[in-house]
Amino acid sequence: MTVELRHLRAFLAIADQGTITRAAARLHVTQPALSRTLRQLEAHLGVRLIDRSTHHLRLTAAGHAFQPRAAAAAAAVDEALDPARAGTWPLRLGHAWSALGEHTTPLLRRWKQECPHTPLQLLRVDDRTAGLDHGTVDVAVIRGEVDLPAEVHTVALLIEPRVAAVAADSTLTQKPRLTLHDLSTESIAVNTVAGTTTLDLWSPDETPDDTIEVANTDDWLAAITTGHAVGVTTTATAAMYPNPAVAYIPLIDAPAVTVYLAWKEPPSHPAVSDLIALTRRLITPPREKTTIA
């Protein structure tokens, strides 16, 4: 049997919706036809992808392993067949928040100058791998340590100091620098989807009692600007999201965050190596030679 795109879409819809009924409605096919398509895919792969023993279907171990590969393949086909992009092949740079901070605009401008025939798309994807795991981007900006598959390569770009983000009218703004102790009695806004801040930053005897969980940077900022919470982030957020209602204050005892570029080998776009080289050149320029008299 030849596997077609419909087989991948069927599997992905079932995995996402959790039932044959909802997946069939989403794909506008009958339930028997969708079940048959799934069985064909499983027969081709020689493994069971979906556990059908319960009313709410669950992925098997093989299904979990196959899901990101199927998503990446479907995304690649959608990208290739998008009429709006006919004649171009954009390079997609993903980030979960704050891109490359102050280096973002210089990178985009320099890329346009040096590679005018390859559009560079900056995409915010709200997950820890910034879309790399699911094939929606070619290169990703990743902050902190993330479990990545063996085919993903990374290079460390820079280390970003952490800052506290507080409402502009907060009494905390009276201090030029803050510590984790200063924030321990506050509600902490925590991005549980893609953030690098957890309560593990605090010592056990000073762990904040209250957190406000958010799923993206917009909701994180909203919690802070309204005074409902304070946040811990890096200097990149201060550069990318200046806001008169938010004060970013150095946080002197929180560990800095390492920023990486990540991509898959083999690369999903021929210009990946060019982007990596340009980014490293801009962020870590060569040192000037010293002449000894």
Side-chain angles (χ1 to χ4, degrees), residues 33-238:
L34 185 58
S35 296
R36 186 165 56 251
T37 301
L38 175 62
R39 289 196 300 271
Q40 290 172 347
L41 177 61
E42 291 177 325
H44 174 79
L45 295 174
V47 294
R48 179 65 67 90
L49 299 173
I50 304 288
D51 181 2
R52 305 169 180 76
S53 61
T54 61
H55 178 69
H56 188 86
L57 306 183
R58 299 181 185 277
L59 291 178
T60 64
H64 280 291
F66 182 66
Q67 187 178 20
R69 291 159 47 202
V77 172
D78 290 340
E79 182 82 13
L81 298 181
D82 185 352
R85 297 172 179 171
T88 64
W89 188 358
L91 177 62
R92 303 161 300 172
L93 175 60
H95 69 104
W97 48 274
S98 300
L100 286 168
E102 64 181 357
H103 305 287
T104 305
T105 298
L107 174 65
L108 297 177
R109 288 182 177 274
R110 182 67 67 84
W111 180 268
K112 186 175 181 180
Q113 294 172 357
E114 297 189 7
C115 305
H117 302 298
T118 303
L120 178 59
Q121 294 182 340
L122 184 65
L123 305 175
R124 195 185 93 181
V125 184
D126 292 318
D127 69 53
R128 286 291 281 130
T129 69
L132 188 66
D133 192 33
H134 294 288
T136 52
V137 302
D138 304 297
V139 183
V141 178
I142 294 179
R143 285 180 168 83
E145 300 301 322
V146 180
D147 289 331
L148 298 169
E151 67 269 20
V152 174
H153 290 218
T154 63
V155 59
L157 289 178
L158 69 157
I159 297 176
E160 294 175 342
R162 275 193 165 103
V163 298
V166 304
D169 59 356
S170 168
T171 56
L172 291 171
T173 60
Q174 297 173 9
K175 296 184 177 183
R177 293 176 298 278
L178 295 174
T179 65
L180 290 169
H181 172 75
D182 293 325
L183 306 181
S184 60
T185 59
E186 305 285 338
S187 295
I188 309 297
V190 177
N191 183 338
T192 57
V193 175
T196 58
T197 298
T198 69
L199 295 184
D200 292 336
L201 286 175
W202 284 264
S203 61
D205 58 336
E206 288 192 334
T207 302
D209 294 329
D210 186 34
T211 61
I212 295 179
E213 296 186 356
V214 298
N216 55 59
T217 302
D218 295 333
D219 293 344
W220 181 85
L221 281 170
I224 294 167
T225 57
T226 56
H228 292 153
V230 301
V232 175
T233 184
T234 75
T235 49
T237 304

